Amino acid sequence: MKKRLIYFLTFILLMTVEIFIALFVHDRFFRPYIGDLLIVIVLYFFVRIFLPEGCKWLPVIIFLFATGVEILQYFRLVERLGLSDNRLLRTILGSVYDFRDILCYGAGCILLMIGQRLYERKGIIDETRTNSR
C-alpha cells in the first residue's frame, strides 16, 4: 500500500508539472521536448499505482504506447474521427505528428529504465518478481 501511495503522489506531482508546462510555457524547447519526455514518466507512475511491483518491461510498453499514439497523429486520427473541435481530446490524442516526439519518448523511457535499475541495485524495488496484491 505504501508503494501505491508513493506512486500516486509522484503521479500527481508530475501531472501538475505537465499541466503547468502545457498551460503556461510557450517556448521552443522546454514545452515540446521536456514536456514530451515528462509525459512518458507521468504515464509510468500512473500505471505503477495499479501495478506497484513486477513491471520490468513497463518503460518499453509505455514507449510503444506513446509511439503508437504519435503514429495515429501521423494518420490524423483526430480529424478522421471528426474530433478536431474537441479541444480536450485533441490535446490528449495530439494532432501534429513529429518524429522528434518519439525521440523524446525514448529518452524518457531510457531514464525510467536507468531509474529502475538503480532502485533494483539499492534493493528498494524488485522488478523481477510479481506480487499478486
Side-chain angles (χ1 to χ4, degrees):
M1 189 65 174
K2 183 179 178 183
K3 284 183 183 181
R4 291 177 196 264
L5 179 61
I6 291 169
Y7 291 132
F8 175 74
L9 294 174
T10 304
F11 165 74
I12 294 297
L13 174 69
L14 293 175
M15 190 66 191
T16 301
V17 170
E18 187 73 13
I19 291 169
F20 177 83
I21 290 170
L23 294 176
F24 301 110
V25 179
H26 303 289
D27 65 350
R28 292 185 174 188
F29 176 77
F30 201 82
R31 182 178 183 175
Y33 299 111
I34 303 301
D36 285 342
L37 182 143
L38 184 60
I39 195 62
V40 293
I41 297 172
V42 169
L43 286 171
Y44 173 86
F45 282 100
F46 178 74
V47 172
R48 290 304 298 259
I49 295 167
F50 305 100
L51 302 171
E53 298 185 34
C55 300
K56 183 176 183 176
W57 294 102
L58 185 57
V60 174
I61 294 166
I62 288 178
F63 173 75
L64 293 173
F65 173 78
T67 300
V69 171
E70 195 68 27
I71 290 169
L72 292 175
Q73 291 174 16
Y74 176 80
F75 291 107
R76 300 186 332 220
L77 178 68
V78 172
E79 290 176 25
R80 293 182 191 274
L81 294 175
L83 301 172
S84 296
D85 295 334
N86 188 321
R87 187 173 178 187
L88 177 64
L89 286 177
R90 197 175 70 235
T91 301
I92 292 170
L93 295 175
S95 56
V96 179
Y97 170 82
D98 189 344
F99 181 74
R100 292 174 290 192
D101 291 352
I102 295 172
L103 296 176
C104 292
Y105 303 149
C109 289
I110 288 169
L111 289 174
L112 287 170
M113 288 188 291
I114 291 169
Q116 278 188 172
R117 302 268 180 186
L118 291 174
Y119 282 113
E120 285 173 22
R121 287 187 181 160
K122 291 185 180 212
I124 296 171
I125 59 173
D126 182 1
E127 294 297 334
T128 59
R129 67 185 176 111
T130 303
N131 190 347
S132 60
R133 283 184 239 171

